[in-house]
């Protein structure tokens, strides 16, 4: 009679242990869920801050570029106007002084050559500037700086590149399909 009783007690104890383990597992799962929710919330907040800072930097750069282009155009226009004035003045002098025509023509040809060289130089500088801007854009795209994560009150720092290394939530977040 004692063996079935002991068996029943054993089974009740085992059932309680399993229930306790299930309850503990559920508590751990709930804590993990809360932790991940807070982590993602913190990350979203940080990403918004980074996005805002990047937008401000981009707007500032665009403004600088626009100002620089405007200044360059004004400078080129001023130089061109100056050269046009010089050419016009030279033409008037040529009309008056036919005897020194060969010398004046050489001066005009030289000025025209210099203008073409300056124009070619400006074209080259423009091309170099555009290449530099493309490299800067690529650099900024690939090196957005450190990403700080607040995980359970502990600060971690890594790079976007590292977060994208494995197939994960982060890789899909930074793959360029979503605006961050």
């Amino acid at each position: 009679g004692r063996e079935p009783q002991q068996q029943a007690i054993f089974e009740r104890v085992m059932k309680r242990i399993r229930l306790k383990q299930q309850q503990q597992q559920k508590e751990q799962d709930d804590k993990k869920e809360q932790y991940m929710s807070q982590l993602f919330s913190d990350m979203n907040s940080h990403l918004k801050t980074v996005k805002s800072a990047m937008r401000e930097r981009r707007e500032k750069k665009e403004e600088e570029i626009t100002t620089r282009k405007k200044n360059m155009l004004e400078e080129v226009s001023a130089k061109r106007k100056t050269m046009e004035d010089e050419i016009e003045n030279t033409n008037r002098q040529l009309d008056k002084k036919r005897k020194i025509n060969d010398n004046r023509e050489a001066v005009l040809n030289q000025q025209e050559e210099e203008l073409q060289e300056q124009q070619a130089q400006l074209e080259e500088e423009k091309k170099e500037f555009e290449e530099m801007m493309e490299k800067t854009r690529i650099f900024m795209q690939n090196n957005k700086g450190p990403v700080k994560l607040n995980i359970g009150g502990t600060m971690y720092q890594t790079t976007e590149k590292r977060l994208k290394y494995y197939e994960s939530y982060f890789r899909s977040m930074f793959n360029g399909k979503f605006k961050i």
Side-chain angles (χ1 to χ4, degrees):
R2 289 190 109 190
E3 232 176 88
Q5 239 181 359
Q6 287 176 345
Q7 182 67 26
I9 291 171
F10 177 75
E11 286 176 9
R12 279 192 305 242
V13 168
M14 289 306 292
K15 185 177 181 180
R16 283 183 189 159
I17 289 172
R18 281 191 297 275
L19 286 173
K20 185 69 173 172
Q21 286 174 340
Q22 289 172 352
Q23 185 180 17
Q24 287 174 345
Q25 183 64 40
K26 184 176 181 340
E27 288 173 3
Q28 286 177 349
D29 291 346
D30 289 347
K31 285 180 183 179
K32 285 179 185 176
E33 182 65 32
Q34 287 175 347
Y35 170 77
M36 291 303 289
S37 177
Q38 183 62 43
L39 172 65
F40 288 125
S41 174
D42 291 348
M43 284 179 54
N44 283 334
S45 174
H46 178 69
L47 288 173
K48 286 178 184 177
T49 302
V50 169
K51 183 180 177 182
S52 175
M54 292 298 288
R55 185 182 316 111
E56 288 175 17
R57 266 196 267 172
R58 185 188 75 236
E59 289 170 357
K60 185 177 178 182
K61 277 290 182 195
E62 286 173 352
E63 185 177 317
E64 288 174 7
I65 290 168
T66 301
T67 301
R68 202 176 306 159
K69 282 181 180 178
K70 181 181 174 187
N71 291 341
M72 289 173 74
L73 286 173
E74 288 174 358
E75 186 180 323
V76 167
S77 287
K79 284 182 180 180
R80 184 178 187 145
K81 175 76 173 122
T82 301
M83 294 186 101
E84 287 172 352
D85 291 346
E86 288 175 10
I87 291 170
E88 187 178 317
N89 187 32
T90 302
N91 282 332
R92 272 189 247 124
Q93 290 175 6
L94 284 174
D95 290 340
K96 293 177 184 178
K97 301 178 182 182
R98 293 272 178 203
K99 293 179 184 177
I100 55 171
N101 188 29
D102 292 341
N103 288 339
R104 297 289 182 195
E105 193 171 308
V107 168
L108 285 175
N109 287 337
Q110 182 182 0
Q111 287 177 344
E112 190 174 305
E113 250 182 57
E114 289 173 3
L115 182 59
Q116 289 174 352
E117 288 174 6
Q118 287 176 355
Q119 188 174 3
Q121 185 179 1
L122 284 174
E123 296 274 343
E124 184 63 31
E125 287 175 6
K126 178 182 174 187
K127 182 180 175 185
E128 290 173 5
F129 178 76
E130 289 172 349
E131 290 173 356
M132 180 185 69
M133 289 306 296
E134 180 62 19
K135 288 177 183 176
T136 300
R137 184 191 67 74
I138 292 169
F139 176 80
M140 292 299 289
Q141 187 176 25
N142 292 333
N143 298 295
K144 291 183 181 175
V147 174
K148 295 179 181 174
L149 304 173
N150 182 343
I151 300 176
T154 302
M155 293 302 293
Y156 294 93
Q157 184 171 321
T158 186
T159 62
E160 182 181 318
K161 184 176 181 180
R162 185 68 176 165
L163 288 173
K164 293 184 338 186
Y165 185 75
Y166 297 101
E167 286 292 330
S168 69
Y169 170 81
F170 298 109
R171 185 172 190 174
S172 63
M173 182 185 293
F174 294 109
N175 69 3
K177 290 181 182 177
F178 306 100
K179 246 186 177 183
I180 297 176

CSV table of all heavy atoms in Angstrom, one decimal, residues 31-58:
chain,number,residue,atom,x,y,z
A,31,LYS,N,10.7,38.9,-18.8
A,31,LYS,CA,11.8,39.9,-18.6
A,31,LYS,C,12.6,40.1,-19.8
A,31,LYS,O,13.0,41.3,-20.1
A,31,LYS,CB,12.7,39.3,-17.5
A,31,LYS,CG,12.2,39.5,-16.1
A,31,LYS,CD,13.1,38.9,-15.0
A,31,LYS,CE,12.5,39.0,-13.6
A,31,LYS,NZ,13.5,38.4,-12.6
A,32,LYS,N,12.8,39.1,-20.6
A,32,LYS,CA,13.6,39.2,-21.9
A,32,LYS,C,12.7,40.1,-22.8
A,32,LYS,O,13.3,41.0,-23.5
A,32,LYS,CB,13.8,37.9,-22.5
A,32,LYS,CG,14.9,37.1,-21.9
A,32,LYS,CD,15.1,35.7,-22.6
A,32,LYS,CE,16.1,34.8,-21.9
A,32,LYS,NZ,16.2,33.5,-22.6
A,33,GLU,N,11.5,39.9,-22.9
A,33,GLU,CA,10.6,40.7,-23.7
A,33,GLU,C,10.6,42.2,-23.3
A,33,GLU,O,10.7,43.0,-24.2
A,33,GLU,CB,9.2,40.1,-23.7
A,33,GLU,CG,8.2,40.9,-24.6
A,33,GLU,CD,8.5,40.7,-26.1
A,33,GLU,OE1,9.0,39.6,-26.5
A,33,GLU,OE2,8.2,41.6,-26.8
A,34,GLN,N,10.5,42.4,-22.0
A,34,GLN,CA,10.6,43.8,-21.5
A,34,GLN,C,12.0,44.4,-21.9
A,34,GLN,O,12.0,45.6,-22.3
A,34,GLN,CB,10.4,43.9,-20.0
A,34,GLN,CG,9.0,43.6,-19.6
A,34,GLN,CD,8.9,43.5,-18.1
A,34,GLN,OE1,9.8,43.4,-17.4
A,34,GLN,NE2,7.6,43.6,-17.6
A,35,TYR,N,13.0,43.7,-21.7
A,35,TYR,CA,14.4,44.1,-22.0
A,35,TYR,C,14.5,44.5,-23.5
A,35,TYR,O,15.0,45.5,-23.8
A,35,TYR,CB,15.4,43.0,-21.6
A,35,TYR,CG,16.8,43.3,-22.0
A,35,TYR,CD1,17.6,44.2,-21.4
A,35,TYR,CD2,17.3,42.6,-23.1
A,35,TYR,CE1,18.9,44.4,-21.8
A,35,TYR,CE2,18.6,42.8,-23.6
A,35,TYR,CZ,19.4,43.7,-22.9
A,35,TYR,OH,20.6,44.0,-23.3
A,36,MET,N,14.1,43.6,-24.4
A,36,MET,CA,14.2,43.8,-25.8
A,36,MET,C,13.3,45.0,-26.2
A,36,MET,O,13.7,45.8,-27.0
A,36,MET,CB,13.8,42.6,-26.6
A,36,MET,CG,14.7,41.4,-26.5
A,36,MET,SD,16.4,41.8,-26.9
A,36,MET,CE,16.2,42.0,-28.7
A,37,SER,N,12.1,45.1,-25.6
A,37,SER,CA,11.3,46.3,-25.9
A,37,SER,C,11.9,47.6,-25.5
A,37,SER,O,11.9,48.5,-26.3
A,37,SER,CB,9.9,46.1,-25.2
A,37,SER,OG,9.1,47.2,-25.4
A,38,GLN,N,12.6,47.6,-24.4
A,38,GLN,CA,13.3,48.8,-23.9
A,38,GLN,C,14.5,49.1,-24.8
A,38,GLN,O,14.8,50.2,-25.2
A,38,GLN,CB,13.7,48.7,-22.5
A,38,GLN,CG,14.4,49.9,-21.9
A,38,GLN,CD,13.5,51.1,-21.9
A,38,GLN,OE1,12.3,51.1,-21.6
A,38,GLN,NE2,14.0,52.3,-22.4
A,39,LEU,N,15.2,48.0,-25.2
A,39,LEU,CA,16.3,48.2,-26.1
A,39,LEU,C,15.9,48.8,-27.4
A,39,LEU,O,16.6,49.7,-27.9
A,39,LEU,CB,17.0,46.8,-26.3
A,39,LEU,CG,18.1,46.7,-27.4
A,39,LEU,CD1,19.3,47.6,-26.9
A,39,LEU,CD2,18.5,45.3,-27.6
A,40,PHE,N,14.9,48.3,-28.0
A,40,PHE,CA,14.4,48.8,-29.3
A,40,PHE,C,13.9,50.2,-29.2
A,40,PHE,O,14.1,51.0,-30.0
A,40,PHE,CB,13.4,47.9,-29.9
A,40,PHE,CG,14.0,46.6,-30.5
A,40,PHE,CD1,13.5,45.4,-30.1
A,40,PHE,CD2,15.0,46.6,-31.4
A,40,PHE,CE1,14.0,44.2,-30.6
A,40,PHE,CE2,15.6,45.4,-31.8
A,40,PHE,CZ,15.1,44.2,-31.4
A,41,SER,N,13.3,50.5,-28.1
A,41,SER,CA,12.8,51.9,-27.8
A,41,SER,C,14.0,52.8,-27.7
A,41,SER,O,14.0,53.9,-28.3
A,41,SER,CB,12.0,51.9,-26.5
A,41,SER,OG,11.6,53.2,-26.2
A,42,ASP,N,15.0,52.4,-26.9
A,42,ASP,CA,16.2,53.2,-26.8
A,42,ASP,C,16.9,53.4,-28.1
A,42,ASP,O,17.4,54.5,-28.5
A,42,ASP,CB,17.2,52.6,-25.8
A,42,ASP,CG,16.7,52.7,-24.4
A,42,ASP,OD1,15.7,53.4,-24.1
A,42,ASP,OD2,17.3,52.0,-23.5
A,43,MET,N,17.0,52.3,-28.9
A,43,MET,CA,17.6,52.4,-30.2
A,43,MET,C,16.9,53.3,-31.2
A,43,MET,O,17.5,54.1,-31.9
A,43,MET,CB,17.7,51.0,-30.8
A,43,MET,CG,18.8,50.2,-30.2
A,43,MET,SD,18.9,48.5,-31.0
A,43,MET,CE,19.1,48.9,-32.7
A,44,ASN,N,15.6,53.2,-31.2
A,44,ASN,CA,14.8,54.1,-32.0
A,44,ASN,C,15.0,55.6,-31.6
A,44,ASN,O,15.1,56.4,-32.5
A,44,ASN,CB,13.3,53.7,-32.0
A,44,ASN,CG,12.9,52.5,-32.8
A,44,ASN,OD1,13.6,52.2,-33.7
A,44,ASN,ND2,11.9,51.8,-32.4
A,45,SER,N,15.0,55.8,-30.3
A,45,SER,CA,15.3,57.2,-29.9
A,45,SER,C,16.6,57.7,-30.3
A,45,SER,O,16.8,58.8,-30.9
A,45,SER,CB,15.2,57.2,-28.4
A,45,SER,OG,15.5,58.5,-27.9
A,46,HIS,N,17.6,56.8,-30.2
A,46,HIS,CA,19.0,57.2,-30.6
A,46,HIS,C,19.0,57.4,-32.1
A,46,HIS,O,19.7,58.3,-32.6
A,46,HIS,CB,20.0,56.1,-30.2
A,46,HIS,CG,21.4,56.4,-30.6
A,46,HIS,ND1,22.1,57.4,-30.1
A,46,HIS,CD2,22.2,55.8,-31.6
A,46,HIS,CE1,23.3,57.4,-30.7
A,46,HIS,NE2,23.3,56.5,-31.6
A,47,LEU,N,18.4,56.5,-32.9
A,47,LEU,CA,18.4,56.6,-34.3
A,47,LEU,C,17.7,57.9,-34.8
A,47,LEU,O,18.2,58.6,-35.7
A,47,LEU,CB,17.7,55.4,-35.0
A,47,LEU,CG,18.5,54.1,-34.9
A,47,LEU,CD1,17.6,53.0,-35.4
A,47,LEU,CD2,19.7,54.2,-35.7
A,48,LYS,N,16.7,58.3,-34.1
A,48,LYS,CA,16.0,59.6,-34.4
A,48,LYS,C,17.0,60.8,-34.2
A,48,LYS,O,17.1,61.7,-35.0
A,48,LYS,CB,14.8,59.8,-33.6
A,48,LYS,CG,13.6,59.0,-34.1
A,48,LYS,CD,12.4,59.2,-33.2
A,48,LYS,CE,11.2,58.2,-33.6
A,48,LYS,NZ,10.1,58.3,-32.7
A,49,THR,N,17.7,60.7,-33.1
A,49,THR,CA,18.7,61.8,-32.8
A,49,THR,C,19.8,61.8,-33.9
A,49,THR,O,20.2,62.8,-34.4
A,49,THR,CB,19.3,61.5,-31.4
A,49,THR,OG1,18.3,61.5,-30.4
A,49,THR,CG2,20.3,62.6,-31.1
A,50,VAL,N,20.3,60.6,-34.2
A,50,VAL,CA,21.3,60.5,-35.3
A,50,VAL,C,20.8,61.0,-36.6
A,50,VAL,O,21.5,61.8,-37.3
A,50,VAL,CB,21.9,59.1,-35.4
A,50,VAL,CG1,22.7,58.9,-36.6
A,50,VAL,CG2,22.6,58.7,-34.1
A,51,LYS,N,19.6,60.6,-36.9
A,51,LYS,CA,19.0,61.1,-38.2
A,51,LYS,C,18.9,62.6,-38.3
A,51,LYS,O,19.2,63.2,-39.3
A,51,LYS,CB,17.6,60.4,-38.3
A,51,LYS,CG,16.9,60.7,-39.6
A,51,LYS,CD,15.6,60.0,-39.7
A,51,LYS,CE,14.8,60.3,-40.9
A,51,LYS,NZ,13.5,59.7,-41.0
A,52,SER,N,18.4,63.1,-37.2
A,52,SER,CA,18.3,64.6,-37.1
A,52,SER,C,19.6,65.3,-37.3
A,52,SER,O,19.8,66.3,-38.0
A,52,SER,CB,17.6,65.0,-35.8
A,52,SER,OG,17.6,66.4,-35.7
A,53,ALA,N,20.7,64.8,-36.6
A,53,ALA,CA,22.0,65.4,-36.7
A,53,ALA,C,22.5,65.2,-38.1
A,53,ALA,O,23.1,66.2,-38.7
A,53,ALA,CB,23.0,64.7,-35.7
A,54,MET,N,22.3,64.1,-38.8
A,54,MET,CA,22.8,63.9,-40.1
A,54,MET,C,22.0,64.8,-41.1
A,54,MET,O,22.7,65.4,-42.0
A,54,MET,CB,22.5,62.4,-40.6
A,54,MET,CG,23.4,61.4,-39.8
A,54,MET,SD,25.2,61.7,-40.1
A,54,MET,CE,25.3,61.1,-41.8
A,55,ARG,N,20.8,65.0,-40.9
A,55,ARG,CA,20.0,65.9,-41.7
A,55,ARG,C,20.5,67.4,-41.6
A,55,ARG,O,20.7,68.1,-42.6
A,55,ARG,CB,18.5,65.9,-41.3
A,55,ARG,CG,17.6,66.8,-42.3
A,55,ARG,CD,16.2,66.8,-41.9
A,55,ARG,NE,15.6,65.5,-41.5
A,55,ARG,CZ,15.2,65.2,-40.3
A,55,ARG,NH1,15.3,66.0,-39.3
A,55,ARG,NH2,14.7,64.0,-40.1
A,56,GLU,N,20.8,67.8,-40.3
A,56,GLU,CA,21.4,69.1,-40.1
A,56,GLU,C,22.7,69.3,-40.8
A,56,GLU,O,23.0,70.3,-41.4
A,56,GLU,CB,21.5,69.4,-38.6
A,56,GLU,CG,20.2,69.6,-37.9
A,56,GLU,CD,20.3,69.8,-36.4
A,56,GLU,OE1,21.4,70.0,-35.9
A,56,GLU,OE2,19.3,69.6,-35.7
A,57,ARG,N,23.6,68.2,-40.7
A,57,ARG,CA,24.9,68.3,-41.3
A,57,ARG,C,24.8,68.4,-42.8
A,57,ARG,O,25.4,69.1,-43.5
A,57,ARG,CB,25.7,67.1,-41.0
A,57,ARG,CG,26.6,67.3,-39.8
A,57,ARG,CD,27.7,66.2,-39.7
A,57,ARG,NE,27.2,65.2,-38.9
A,57,ARG,CZ,27.7,64.0,-38.7
A,57,ARG,NH1,28.8,63.7,-39.3
A,57,ARG,NH2,27.2,63.1,-37.9
A,58,ARG,N,23.8,67.6,-43.4
A,58,ARG,CA,23.6,67.6,-44.8
A,58,ARG,C,23.1,69.0,-45.3
A,58,ARG,O,23.6,69.5,-46.3
A,58,ARG,CB,22.6,66.5,-45.2
A,58,ARG,CG,22.4,66.4,-46.8
A,58,ARG,CD,21.3,65.5,-47.2
A,58,ARG,NE,20.0,66.2,-47.0
A,58,ARG,CZ,19.1,65.7,-46.2
A,58,ARG,NH1,19.2,64.5,-45.6
A,58,ARG,NH2,18.0,66.4,-46.0
